[in-house]
Amino acid sequence: TLTLKGHTQPVTSVAFSADGKRIVSGSWDQTVKVWDTDKGTETLTLKGHTNAVTSVVFSADGKYIVSGSYDHTVKVWDANKGTETLTLKGHTQGVLSVAFSADGKRIVSGSHDMTMKVWDTDKGTETLTLKGHTNGVTSVAFSADGKYIVSGSYDNTMKVWDAEQGTEILTLKGHTQ
């Protein structure tokens, strides 16, 4: 077994790179760390958030990492150099979840502010704000073809959205807590 140690506070999010050779982790210690899975060693520490990091993920090609934080921001990092390439600002409360589209051209973020935002990674701009949840958005994901976004919320629902128009397509209810 392999235990990766390096964060000084609880780890909130982890993800593998598509090739399985790296792991990214985010923590309450305000850092994002990249790990080599073969050696079990920390290869990068990404610093720039000013509050807990809540969500991390690699882009499909492994070139970038996106992180969300209670500092209300979404950051994009060069996964090889460890440098910050974008800071996306627009949420009014902490970011709880982030995801890349399969082509890496868009990011979706979900927040305590009850919204999701879609971001253009080339321009570094917000392209859509999705509203409809009545509590914080805890989980977000793009469909494989990038046409849809699914979100989960503290309001006990999941919603499916049109990723181009930002319109709600479906609300899925069934969870009671």
Side-chain angles (χ1 to χ4, degrees):
T1 50
L2 191 60
T3 302
L4 306 175
K5 295 180 182 178
H7 286 293
T8 59
Q9 292 189 33
V11 175
T12 55
S13 183
V14 293
F16 275 104
S17 59
D19 64 8
K21 294 182 179 180
R22 293 177 294 168
I23 294 170
V24 62
S25 59
S27 169
W28 283 2
D29 67 12
Q30 304 177 17
T31 69
V32 174
K33 291 184 181 284
V34 180
W35 308 84
D36 179 303
T37 55
D38 290 332
K39 297 175 184 171
T41 56
E42 177 185 323
T43 59
L44 292 171
T45 297
L46 314 179
K47 295 180 180 180
H49 283 295
T50 58
N51 205 325
V53 176
T54 56
S55 186
V56 292
V57 68
F58 278 98
S59 59
D61 63 9
K63 292 181 181 176
Y64 298 98
I65 293 166
V66 64
S67 60
S69 170
Y70 281 140
D71 67 10
H72 307 188
T73 69
V74 174
K75 290 186 182 287
V76 180
W77 310 84
D78 181 303
N80 296 310
K81 297 177 185 172
T83 53
E84 184 181 318
T85 62
L86 281 175
T87 297
L88 306 172
K89 296 179 181 179
H91 284 292
T92 59
Q93 293 184 38
V95 176
L96 299 173
S97 186
V98 293
F100 271 107
S101 60
D103 63 9
K105 294 183 178 183
R106 291 175 295 164
I107 292 167
V108 61
S109 55
S111 170
H112 265 302
D113 67 14
M114 301 183 283
T115 71
M116 286 144 296
K117 294 190 179 290
V118 179
W119 309 88
D120 179 306
T121 56
D122 289 333
K123 297 176 185 171
T125 57
E126 178 186 326
T127 60
L128 290 172
T129 297
L130 312 179
K131 296 179 181 179
H133 282 292
T134 58
N135 207 324
V137 180
T138 58
S139 187
V140 292
F142 278 98
S143 60
D145 62 9
K147 292 181 181 179
Y148 304 100
I149 293 168
V150 64
S151 59
S153 169
Y154 284 128
D155 68 12
N156 305 342
T157 69
M158 294 178 296
K159 293 182 182 286
V160 179
W161 307 82
D162 180 304
E164 298 296 325
Q165 304 299 317
T167 53
E168 184 181 325
I169 297 170
L170 184 62
T171 297
L172 304 168
K173 297 178 183 177
H175 291 285
T176 57
Q177 291 187 9

